[in-house]
Amino acid sequence: MATTTLENPPTLAPAVQASLAALRGRVRWYVCLEGLACGATWLGVAFWISLVVDWFFEPPVWVRGVILAVAALGLVAVLIKLIALRAFARMTNSNMATLLERRFRHLDDSLLTAVVLTERDDANSVQCSREMLVQTCEEAAERIADVRLGQIFNPRPMAWSMSAAVLLAGTVIAFFVMFAEEGAVWTDRSLLFSDARWMRRSHIEIEGFEDGVEKVARGADFEVVALAHTTKELPQSVYIRYRIEGGRRGWDPMDRVNEAKPPEKQRYSHKFESILADHEFDVIGEVPMGRDVTISGLRIQVVDSPTIADIKLRCTYPAYMHPPHDKRKTATLPAVTGMMEIPIGTQVTVQATANKPLVEVRIDAVRPAARDGGPSEVAAGSDPSYRVLNAKDFSAEGHEFSYTIPSLAEDTTLRFTLSDIDGITGREPVQLTLVVKPDTPPMLGDVQLKGIGPAITAKARLPAVGDVTDDYGIEKLAFHYMVPPAAGDAADQQAPGTQAIELPSILPTNVSLRAVMEVSALELTPGQKLTLWLEGTGLGGGAAEPGVSERWLKDIVTPAQLRAMLEARELVLRQRFERIIEEVTETRDLLLDIDFSDAPPPTEKKADEETAEGAEPGDEAAPEQTPEQRLDSRKLAVERALQNSRKNSHETLGVAEGFDDVRLQFINNQIDTEELNTRLEEGIAKPLHHIGGAMFNDLEASLRKLQQYVADERLGPQKCDLARRQSVDILIEMRRVLDRMIELESFNEAVELLRAIIELQGDLHEQTKQRHKEEIRKLLED
């Protein structure tokens, strides 16, 4: 078909244009009304949802804010989606024509064709004749006259939307009319975000929880108490719904406490035990028709319990602890815990630091009871040691406080009960026990008389040796003695006496005592007894009693009697030494019998043959030892030899010390001679110390080596030979010492014989003098 260009193209008839414009307006009104109805429906639904949630749960402000925000956003979404995006969308004539063509079939596309051809920009280039276009427009105008625009809309969706909107709006209006007070509460809570409470059939309040928070000490128990007013309906049950920091949740019933009558309040309680983390909880009361009252947003905040983080003691010591050369009058003891020992009479200032600011500290003193020894607490106000500290007694930060005991005279336990700024009082008082340390007298417990036996001569020198100690200084040290009376002779008793001991320095705290008491100054006679001891006095003012050593009772004897006693002791020591020699000989024989060969020794074979020759028929020969049995025998012999060596070493040193003591007794009693000292020290004591020390130590070391190589057939015999030689050397040296002991005994016997001869000569001389006197008397009588 050829393209025809039209001049003055035809347009739509006014009736058609009016119908399209009217349809466009009706569509916009329809969309707006439907959108408004849906918006009103959404608001009604949001109202009832928020009312139900707020009534049953009474959520906090932020939850109510979220609900309101969701409702507002939902309304905006409805209005935008159902009104803004639809009502204000571009609606062309073609859109309207298409809508009419679909609803009214008799238009037979004439309306749509006319609208499209007349509105095209290239209408001047349409592939049709002018007459055809005019005819199409005329047909569209004729046919649209029969169109009723109201029939194009479906009334049901609009009806449903309007019905829902009217219904919900009616219920909301009815609620506000019928329940004006509840409506006002909803308005205040949901729109104004106030904390107004719903009017309930019952009324519950919670003890404590100012501003909804209660602080509790970590690890403590806490009881939540709810009070229900009996003037209203009591809840059928009360529950507590909690959430623990960290995620755990729970729901527990509260216990009903007793039965209250008006106007009292009914108590309900629930205990949280050992609280370690923050708790948030709600208290919910239920009536037969369901939940009635909810108190939400309550919180238990866990805080540290007040305690003392650090205690220091500032001690001002008493005068007896201040010797002239010691300037330490005060001292601070850091990191004090539990129990502290403090010198008696000390002024003690407790300097404590708490872990958090305090508002009050109660200090109670507990001291031993005067009679039964049990603890007795000082009554409040009856003693200056009872005290309550408050804000003015703390440091600026409230952490530090102090408490002073002027003079510590007895054991005292201080109990500190702390209350902090959180209103928490410590569950258990912090205890500090101050144990009185008395000024003990000087210690002389290890002081002994060296080289002195139970009997002494009248000219003896008594050496006292040992350590004397005192905490604060030794002021005096002296020998004390007395001579008890003989039996039946009370007049023979002497008054107690003293001999002062010179101290090495002024007020020494430790003295290595080497003091001697001269008995000759006492002018004692044989047959008397002497009791002596040492006394030490510390720096004045501390200890009530002096320090005392062991008491020694000594018999006064003649030199001859003491020599006889010491010689008897020498004999006992020699007999002990002879037994030691016998045991060492057995040890040597054990070592000689140790055999490292696998075959039985020839001596054993010969003995076996002799036994076989003399055996009776039927006798069984002794079984031959296996290598393992011979090894066990060697081990047993070495072990026995080692035990004997240790025992003999200890006993030999004991004999050596015994001879040292005998020699010192000779010297201290001044009955010694140079030759006797040389025989006892150089000939006996020193060799015995050498034998019991170095020689036995070498033997023990060799036996230990032999234990290691007892199974070695190459090195074992070498170690065994060395031990044998050493045991033989010890025996040789011990026999030499024994010979010297015997020589000393012979020397003593000779001296005793000479002493007896001298005494006999004295007796003969006395008898001769007596006979001369008698003969002269007879001559004079004649």
mmCIF file of all heavy atoms in Angstrom, residues 14-55:
data_model
loop_
_atom_site.group_PDB
_atom_site.id
_atom_site.type_symbol
_atom_site.label_atom_id
_atom_site.label_comp_id
_atom_site.label_asym_id
_atom_site.label_seq_id
_atom_site.Cartn_x
_atom_site.Cartn_y
_atom_site.Cartn_z
ATOM 1 N N PRO A 14 -15.158 14.939 20.809
ATOM 2 C CA PRO A 14 -15.198 15.435 22.196
ATOM 3 C C PRO A 14 -15.821 14.444 23.153
ATOM 4 O O PRO A 14 -15.384 14.321 24.335
ATOM 5 C CB PRO A 14 -16.027 16.712 22.070
ATOM 6 C CG PRO A 14 -15.793 17.167 20.678
ATOM 7 C CD PRO A 14 -15.701 15.916 19.842
ATOM 8 N N ALA A 15 -16.831 13.720 22.718
ATOM 9 C CA ALA A 15 -17.461 12.739 23.606
ATOM 10 C C ALA A 15 -16.485 11.660 24.020
ATOM 11 O O ALA A 15 -16.475 11.185 25.172
ATOM 12 C CB ALA A 15 -18.673 12.130 22.904
ATOM 13 N N VAL A 16 -15.639 11.230 23.065
ATOM 14 C CA VAL A 16 -14.641 10.184 23.370
ATOM 15 C C VAL A 16 -13.617 10.714 24.363
ATOM 16 O O VAL A 16 -13.243 10.068 25.346
ATOM 17 C CB VAL A 16 -13.965 9.707 22.078
ATOM 18 C CG1 VAL A 16 -12.827 8.746 22.394
ATOM 19 C CG2 VAL A 16 -14.988 9.029 21.177
ATOM 20 N N GLN A 17 -13.138 11.934 24.077
ATOM 21 C CA GLN A 17 -12.141 12.511 24.972
ATOM 22 C C GLN A 17 -12.701 12.706 26.377
ATOM 23 O O GLN A 17 -12.028 12.477 27.380
ATOM 24 C CB GLN A 17 -11.670 13.839 24.413
ATOM 25 C CG GLN A 17 -10.875 13.703 23.108
ATOM 26 C CD GLN A 17 -10.399 15.050 22.562
ATOM 27 O OE1 GLN A 17 -10.653 16.086 23.179
ATOM 28 N NE2 GLN A 17 -9.724 15.006 21.425
ATOM 29 N N ALA A 18 -13.965 13.110 26.477
ATOM 30 C CA ALA A 18 -14.573 13.313 27.802
ATOM 31 C C ALA A 18 -14.705 11.989 28.543
ATOM 32 O O ALA A 18 -14.466 11.903 29.768
ATOM 33 C CB ALA A 18 -15.932 13.959 27.643
ATOM 34 N N SER A 19 -15.071 10.936 27.817
ATOM 35 C CA SER A 19 -15.218 9.630 28.452
ATOM 36 C C SER A 19 -13.861 9.122 28.982
ATOM 37 O O SER A 19 -13.753 8.575 30.098
ATOM 38 C CB SER A 19 -15.813 8.614 27.477
ATOM 39 O OG SER A 19 -17.114 8.996 27.117
ATOM 40 N N LEU A 20 -12.821 9.304 28.164
ATOM 41 C CA LEU A 20 -11.488 8.853 28.617
ATOM 42 C C LEU A 20 -11.028 9.642 29.841
ATOM 43 O O LEU A 20 -10.465 9.095 30.774
ATOM 44 C CB LEU A 20 -10.486 8.997 27.480
ATOM 45 C CG LEU A 20 -10.720 8.095 26.253
ATOM 46 C CD1 LEU A 20 -9.705 8.398 25.154
ATOM 47 C CD2 LEU A 20 -10.641 6.629 26.655
ATOM 48 N N ALA A 21 -11.251 10.948 29.857
ATOM 49 C CA ALA A 21 -10.845 11.766 31.002
ATOM 50 C C ALA A 21 -11.636 11.397 32.242
ATOM 51 O O ALA A 21 -11.090 11.329 33.373
ATOM 52 C CB ALA A 21 -11.027 13.241 30.669
ATOM 53 N N ALA A 22 -12.942 11.137 32.072
ATOM 54 C CA ALA A 22 -13.762 10.753 33.221
ATOM 55 C C ALA A 22 -13.302 9.422 33.794
ATOM 56 O O ALA A 22 -13.236 9.228 35.035
ATOM 57 C CB ALA A 22 -15.225 10.685 32.806
ATOM 58 N N LEU A 23 -12.962 8.482 32.914
ATOM 59 C CA LEU A 23 -12.468 7.176 33.380
ATOM 60 C C LEU A 23 -11.158 7.323 34.149
ATOM 61 O O LEU A 23 -10.951 6.702 35.199
ATOM 62 C CB LEU A 23 -12.294 6.224 32.198
ATOM 63 C CG LEU A 23 -11.778 4.830 32.566
ATOM 64 C CD1 LEU A 23 -12.715 4.138 33.543
ATOM 65 C CD2 LEU A 23 -11.589 3.995 31.293
ATOM 66 N N ARG A 24 -10.310 8.197 33.647
ATOM 67 C CA ARG A 24 -9.019 8.414 34.328
ATOM 68 C C ARG A 24 -9.250 8.952 35.750
ATOM 69 O O ARG A 24 -8.604 8.533 36.707
ATOM 70 C CB ARG A 24 -8.173 9.387 33.518
ATOM 71 C CG ARG A 24 -6.762 9.550 34.056
ATOM 72 C CD ARG A 24 -5.966 10.532 33.208
ATOM 73 N NE ARG A 24 -5.769 10.009 31.867
ATOM 74 C CZ ARG A 24 -6.356 10.500 30.764
ATOM 75 N NH1 ARG A 24 -7.199 11.516 30.866
ATOM 76 N NH2 ARG A 24 -6.109 9.980 29.593
ATOM 77 N N GLY A 25 -10.163 9.877 35.898
ATOM 78 C CA GLY A 25 -10.445 10.425 37.216
ATOM 79 C C GLY A 25 -11.032 9.393 38.163
ATOM 80 O O GLY A 25 -10.693 9.344 39.369
ATOM 81 N N ARG A 26 -11.969 8.590 37.595
ATOM 82 C CA ARG A 26 -12.583 7.570 38.449
ATOM 83 C C ARG A 26 -11.546 6.540 38.936
ATOM 84 O O ARG A 26 -11.600 6.080 40.085
ATOM 85 C CB ARG A 26 -13.700 6.872 37.671
ATOM 86 C CG ARG A 26 -14.928 7.743 37.488
ATOM 87 C CD ARG A 26 -16.100 6.913 37.023
ATOM 88 N NE ARG A 26 -17.286 7.704 36.880
ATOM 89 C CZ ARG A 26 -18.508 7.199 36.732
ATOM 90 N NH1 ARG A 26 -18.661 5.877 36.732
ATOM 91 N NH2 ARG A 26 -19.554 7.975 36.584
ATOM 92 N N VAL A 27 -10.628 6.184 38.042
ATOM 93 C CA VAL A 27 -9.580 5.224 38.451
ATOM 94 C C VAL A 27 -8.754 5.801 39.600
ATOM 95 O O VAL A 27 -8.427 5.122 40.582
ATOM 96 C CB VAL A 27 -8.692 4.857 37.251
ATOM 97 C CG1 VAL A 27 -7.457 4.093 37.721
ATOM 98 C CG2 VAL A 27 -9.484 4.032 36.248
ATOM 99 N N ARG A 28 -8.398 7.090 39.491
ATOM 100 C CA ARG A 28 -7.588 7.690 40.565
ATOM 101 C C ARG A 28 -8.354 7.723 41.884
ATOM 102 O O ARG A 28 -7.796 7.445 42.950
ATOM 103 C CB ARG A 28 -7.177 9.098 40.162
ATOM 104 C CG ARG A 28 -6.208 9.130 38.973
ATOM 105 C CD ARG A 28 -5.705 10.548 38.711
ATOM 106 N NE ARG A 28 -4.976 10.638 37.461
ATOM 107 C CZ ARG A 28 -3.703 10.315 37.287
ATOM 108 N NH1 ARG A 28 -3.026 9.844 38.320
ATOM 109 N NH2 ARG A 28 -3.105 10.441 36.120
ATOM 110 N N TRP A 29 -9.651 8.066 41.834
ATOM 111 C CA TRP A 29 -10.429 8.080 43.070
ATOM 112 C C TRP A 29 -10.570 6.676 43.665
ATOM 113 O O TRP A 29 -10.498 6.488 44.887
ATOM 114 C CB TRP A 29 -11.809 8.669 42.793
ATOM 115 C CG TRP A 29 -11.822 10.172 42.840
ATOM 116 C CD1 TRP A 29 -11.923 11.033 41.791
ATOM 117 C CD2 TRP A 29 -11.730 10.959 44.025
ATOM 118 N NE1 TRP A 29 -11.868 12.329 42.209
ATOM 119 C CE2 TRP A 29 -11.751 12.314 43.610
ATOM 120 C CE3 TRP A 29 -11.615 10.691 45.368
ATOM 121 C CZ2 TRP A 29 -11.672 13.376 44.501
ATOM 122 C CZ3 TRP A 29 -11.547 11.743 46.247
ATOM 123 C CH2 TRP A 29 -11.561 13.074 45.830
ATOM 124 N N TYR A 30 -10.764 5.719 42.808
ATOM 125 C CA TYR A 30 -10.896 4.334 43.283
ATOM 126 C C TYR A 30 -9.614 3.891 44.027
ATOM 127 O O TYR A 30 -9.669 3.315 45.124
ATOM 128 C CB TYR A 30 -11.164 3.413 42.083
ATOM 129 C CG TYR A 30 -11.410 1.961 42.471
ATOM 130 C CD1 TYR A 30 -12.710 1.500 42.688
ATOM 131 C CD2 TYR A 30 -10.354 1.067 42.620
ATOM 132 C CE1 TYR A 30 -12.929 0.186 43.043
ATOM 133 C CE2 TYR A 30 -10.567 -0.250 42.991
ATOM 134 C CZ TYR A 30 -11.868 -0.693 43.200
ATOM 135 O OH TYR A 30 -12.076 -2.007 43.562
ATOM 136 N N VAL A 31 -8.472 4.150 43.418
ATOM 137 C CA VAL A 31 -7.188 3.766 44.024
ATOM 138 C C VAL A 31 -6.996 4.476 45.364
ATOM 139 O O VAL A 31 -6.557 3.885 46.354
ATOM 140 C CB VAL A 31 -6.037 4.065 43.048
ATOM 141 C CG1 VAL A 31 -4.694 3.935 43.751
ATOM 142 C CG2 VAL A 31 -6.119 3.153 41.849
ATOM 143 N N CYS A 32 -7.321 5.772 45.411
ATOM 144 C CA CYS A 32 -7.140 6.531 46.660
ATOM 145 C C CYS A 32 -8.037 5.993 47.769
ATOM 146 O O CYS A 32 -7.609 5.827 48.919
ATOM 147 C CB CYS A 32 -7.420 8.000 46.420
ATOM 148 S SG CYS A 32 -6.158 8.826 45.427
ATOM 149 N N LEU A 33 -9.304 5.746 47.434
ATOM 150 C CA LEU A 33 -10.215 5.237 48.453
ATOM 151 C C LEU A 33 -9.790 3.857 48.950
ATOM 152 O O LEU A 33 -9.805 3.573 50.162
ATOM 153 C CB LEU A 33 -11.643 5.181 47.882
ATOM 154 C CG LEU A 33 -12.330 6.538 47.674
ATOM 155 C CD1 LEU A 33 -13.685 6.334 47.019
ATOM 156 C CD2 LEU A 33 -12.484 7.267 49.008
ATOM 157 N N GLU A 34 -9.381 2.997 48.015
ATOM 158 C CA GLU A 34 -8.947 1.654 48.436
ATOM 159 C C GLU A 34 -7.678 1.741 49.292
ATOM 160 O O GLU A 34 -7.532 1.046 50.299
ATOM 161 C CB GLU A 34 -8.689 0.786 47.213
ATOM 162 C CG GLU A 34 -8.368 -0.665 47.586
ATOM 163 C CD GLU A 34 -8.105 -1.512 46.361
ATOM 164 O OE1 GLU A 34 -7.633 -0.963 45.352
ATOM 165 O OE2 GLU A 34 -8.350 -2.732 46.435
ATOM 166 N N GLY A 35 -6.734 2.607 48.919
ATOM 167 C CA GLY A 35 -5.500 2.762 49.706
ATOM 168 C C GLY A 35 -5.773 3.302 51.090
ATOM 169 O O GLY A 35 -5.194 2.849 52.089
ATOM 170 N N LEU A 36 -6.683 4.291 51.175
ATOM 171 C CA LEU A 36 -7.014 4.836 52.486
ATOM 172 C C LEU A 36 -7.698 3.795 53.360
ATOM 173 O O LEU A 36 -7.454 3.727 54.582
ATOM 174 C CB LEU A 36 -7.914 6.062 52.333
ATOM 175 C CG LEU A 36 -7.239 7.300 51.721
ATOM 176 C CD1 LEU A 36 -8.271 8.390 51.489
ATOM 177 C CD2 LEU A 36 -6.118 7.806 52.632
ATOM 178 N N ALA A 37 -8.557 2.987 52.753
ATOM 179 C CA ALA A 37 -9.223 1.933 53.520
ATOM 180 C C ALA A 37 -8.205 0.920 54.051
ATOM 181 O O ALA A 37 -8.262 0.494 55.223
ATOM 182 C CB ALA A 37 -10.267 1.239 52.644
ATOM 183 N N CYS A 38 -7.247 0.547 53.199
ATOM 184 C CA CYS A 38 -6.211 -0.402 53.652
ATOM 185 C C CYS A 38 -5.336 0.229 54.744
ATOM 186 O O CYS A 38 -4.927 -0.443 55.706
ATOM 187 C CB CYS A 38 -5.349 -0.835 52.471
ATOM 188 S SG CYS A 38 -6.230 -1.872 51.283
ATOM 189 N N GLY A 39 -5.037 1.526 54.585
ATOM 190 C CA GLY A 39 -4.257 2.197 55.627
ATOM 191 C C GLY A 39 -4.990 2.223 56.951
ATOM 192 O O GLY A 39 -4.401 1.993 58.023
ATOM 193 N N ALA A 40 -6.322 2.521 56.874
ATOM 194 C CA ALA A 40 -7.101 2.521 58.114
ATOM 195 C C ALA A 40 -7.154 1.117 58.724
ATOM 196 O O ALA A 40 -7.075 0.953 59.959
ATOM 197 C CB ALA A 40 -8.504 3.031 57.826
ATOM 198 N N THR A 41 -7.272 0.098 57.847
ATOM 199 C CA THR A 41 -7.274 -1.284 58.344
ATOM 200 C C THR A 41 -5.955 -1.609 59.041
ATOM 201 O O THR A 41 -5.914 -2.226 60.118
ATOM 202 C CB THR A 41 -7.525 -2.258 57.186
ATOM 203 O OG1 THR A 41 -8.759 -1.926 56.561
ATOM 204 C CG2 THR A 41 -7.550 -3.683 57.692
ATOM 205 N N TRP A 42 -4.837 -1.230 58.433
ATOM 206 C CA TRP A 42 -3.509 -1.469 59.025
ATOM 207 C C TRP A 42 -3.376 -0.788 60.391
ATOM 208 O O TRP A 42 -2.890 -1.372 61.358
ATOM 209 C CB TRP A 42 -2.425 -0.996 58.077
ATOM 210 C CG TRP A 42 -1.068 -0.885 58.742
ATOM 211 C CD1 TRP A 42 -0.403 0.237 59.086
ATOM 212 C CD2 TRP A 42 -0.244 -1.980 59.169
ATOM 213 N NE1 TRP A 42 0.766 -0.053 59.695
ATOM 214 C CE2 TRP A 42 0.909 -1.429 59.759
ATOM 215 C CE3 TRP A 42 -0.375 -3.363 59.102
ATOM 216 C CZ2 TRP A 42 1.928 -2.194 60.275
ATOM 217 C CZ3 TRP A 42 0.648 -4.147 59.614
ATOM 218 C CH2 TRP A 42 1.787 -3.574 60.195
ATOM 219 N N LEU A 43 -3.851 0.443 60.499
ATOM 220 C CA LEU A 43 -3.777 1.148 61.773
ATOM 221 C C LEU A 43 -4.610 0.459 62.837
ATOM 222 O O LEU A 43 -4.223 0.385 64.012
ATOM 223 C CB LEU A 43 -4.226 2.598 61.599
ATOM 224 C CG LEU A 43 -3.260 3.520 60.839
ATOM 225 C CD1 LEU A 43 -3.858 4.905 60.711
ATOM 226 C CD2 LEU A 43 -1.906 3.578 61.544
ATOM 227 N N GLY A 44 -5.792 -0.033 62.436
ATOM 228 C CA GLY A 44 -6.623 -0.743 63.403
ATOM 229 C C GLY A 44 -5.958 -2.008 63.907
ATOM 230 O O GLY A 44 -5.954 -2.307 65.114
ATOM 231 N N VAL A 45 -5.368 -2.767 62.953
ATOM 232 C CA VAL A 45 -4.663 -3.997 63.351
ATOM 233 C C VAL A 45 -3.482 -3.665 64.254
ATOM 234 O O VAL A 45 -3.241 -4.315 65.278
ATOM 235 C CB VAL A 45 -4.211 -4.772 62.104
ATOM 236 C CG1 VAL A 45 -3.302 -5.936 62.496
ATOM 237 C CG2 VAL A 45 -5.420 -5.288 61.320
ATOM 238 N N ALA A 46 -2.678 -2.644 63.895
ATOM 239 C CA ALA A 46 -1.519 -2.247 64.703
ATOM 240 C C ALA A 46 -1.955 -1.819 66.099
ATOM 241 O O ALA A 46 -1.275 -2.115 67.094
ATOM 242 C CB ALA A 46 -0.753 -1.126 63.997
ATOM 243 N N PHE A 47 -3.101 -1.105 66.180
ATOM 244 C CA PHE A 47 -3.590 -0.672 67.494
ATOM 245 C C PHE A 47 -3.882 -1.867 68.389
ATOM 246 O O PHE A 47 -3.452 -1.924 69.550
ATOM 247 C CB PHE A 47 -4.847 0.191 67.329
ATOM 248 C CG PHE A 47 -5.578 0.415 68.620
ATOM 249 C CD1 PHE A 47 -5.118 1.335 69.551
ATOM 250 C CD2 PHE A 47 -6.724 -0.332 68.927
ATOM 251 C CE1 PHE A 47 -5.802 1.526 70.747
ATOM 252 C CE2 PHE A 47 -7.400 -0.145 70.118
ATOM 253 C CZ PHE A 47 -6.933 0.798 71.034
ATOM 254 N N TRP A 48 -4.654 -2.823 67.848
ATOM 255 C CA TRP A 48 -5.005 -3.966 68.687
ATOM 256 C C TRP A 48 -3.794 -4.819 69.037
ATOM 257 O O TRP A 48 -3.699 -5.352 70.151
ATOM 258 C CB TRP A 48 -6.068 -4.815 67.977
ATOM 259 C CG TRP A 48 -7.413 -4.161 67.963
ATOM 260 C CD1 TRP A 48 -8.077 -3.672 66.889
ATOM 261 C CD2 TRP A 48 -8.234 -3.914 69.105
ATOM 262 N NE1 TRP A 48 -9.276 -3.128 67.254
ATOM 263 C CE2 TRP A 48 -9.412 -3.264 68.639
ATOM 264 C CE3 TRP A 48 -8.120 -4.157 70.460
ATOM 265 C CZ2 TRP A 48 -10.429 -2.878 69.488
ATOM 266 C CZ3 TRP A 48 -9.146 -3.772 71.303
ATOM 267 C CH2 TRP A 48 -10.275 -3.142 70.819
ATOM 268 N N ILE A 49 -2.850 -4.963 68.118
ATOM 269 C CA ILE A 49 -1.623 -5.728 68.440
ATOM 270 C C ILE A 49 -0.848 -5.043 69.550
ATOM 271 O O ILE A 49 -0.412 -5.671 70.524
ATOM 272 C CB ILE A 49 -0.753 -5.898 67.180
ATOM 273 C CG1 ILE A 49 -1.441 -6.838 66.186
ATOM 274 C CG2 ILE A 49 0.631 -6.429 67.557
ATOM 275 C CD1 ILE A 49 -0.701 -6.986 64.870
ATOM 276 N N SER A 50 -0.654 -3.727 69.436
ATOM 277 C CA SER A 50 0.102 -3.007 70.469
ATOM 278 C C SER A 50 -0.639 -3.036 71.803
ATOM 279 O O SER A 50 -0.021 -3.135 72.872
ATOM 280 C CB SER A 50 0.345 -1.565 70.032
ATOM 281 O OG SER A 50 -0.877 -0.832 69.995
ATOM 282 N N LEU A 51 -1.993 -2.961 71.739
ATOM 283 C CA LEU A 51 -2.771 -2.993 72.980
ATOM 284 C C LEU A 51 -2.608 -4.340 73.677
ATOM 285 O O LEU A 51 -2.384 -4.406 74.899
ATOM 286 C CB LEU A 51 -4.245 -2.728 72.671
ATOM 287 C CG LEU A 51 -5.189 -2.774 73.882
ATOM 288 C CD1 LEU A 51 -4.831 -1.680 74.869
ATOM 289 C CD2 LEU A 51 -6.635 -2.671 73.426
ATOM 290 N N VAL A 52 -2.713 -5.427 72.900
ATOM 291 C CA VAL A 52 -2.589 -6.758 73.506
ATOM 292 C C VAL A 52 -1.186 -6.955 74.085
ATOM 293 O O VAL A 52 -1.010 -7.444 75.216
ATOM 294 C CB VAL A 52 -2.907 -7.840 72.459
ATOM 295 C CG1 VAL A 52 -2.551 -9.225 72.992
ATOM 296 C CG2 VAL A 52 -4.371 -7.788 72.074
ATOM 297 N N VAL A 53 -0.158 -6.600 73.302
ATOM 298 C CA VAL A 53 1.216 -6.769 73.781
ATOM 299 C C VAL A 53 1.459 -5.937 75.038
ATOM 300 O O VAL A 53 2.043 -6.402 76.032
ATOM 301 C CB VAL A 53 2.220 -6.405 72.669
ATOM 302 C CG1 VAL A 53 3.648 -6.355 73.207
ATOM 303 C CG2 VAL A 53 2.127 -7.397 71.518
ATOM 304 N N ASP A 54 1.001 -4.693 75.014
ATOM 305 C CA ASP A 54 1.256 -3.818 76.156
ATOM 306 C C ASP A 54 0.451 -4.247 77.370
ATOM 307 O O ASP A 54 0.912 -4.122 78.509
ATOM 308 C CB ASP A 54 0.917 -2.376 75.780
ATOM 309 C CG ASP A 54 1.569 -1.378 76.711
ATOM 310 O OD1 ASP A 54 2.748 -1.591 77.072
ATOM 311 O OD2 ASP A 54 0.921 -0.396 77.093
ATOM 312 N N TRP A 55 -0.738 -4.751 77.144
ATOM 313 C CA TRP A 55 -1.575 -5.166 78.267
ATOM 314 C C TRP A 55 -1.003 -6.395 78.970
ATOM 315 O O TRP A 55 -0.917 -6.452 80.188
ATOM 316 C CB TRP A 55 -2.998 -5.452 77.764
ATOM 317 C CG TRP A 55 -3.888 -6.065 78.816
ATOM 318 C CD1 TRP A 55 -4.127 -7.383 79.021
ATOM 319 C CD2 TRP A 55 -4.620 -5.372 79.819
ATOM 320 N NE1 TRP A 55 -4.973 -7.566 80.074
ATOM 321 C CE2 TRP A 55 -5.305 -6.330 80.593
ATOM 322 C CE3 TRP A 55 -4.791 -4.017 80.124
ATOM 323 C CZ2 TRP A 55 -6.124 -6.000 81.650
ATOM 324 C CZ3 TRP A 55 -5.609 -3.690 81.195
ATOM 325 C CH2 TRP A 55 -6.252 -4.666 81.938
#
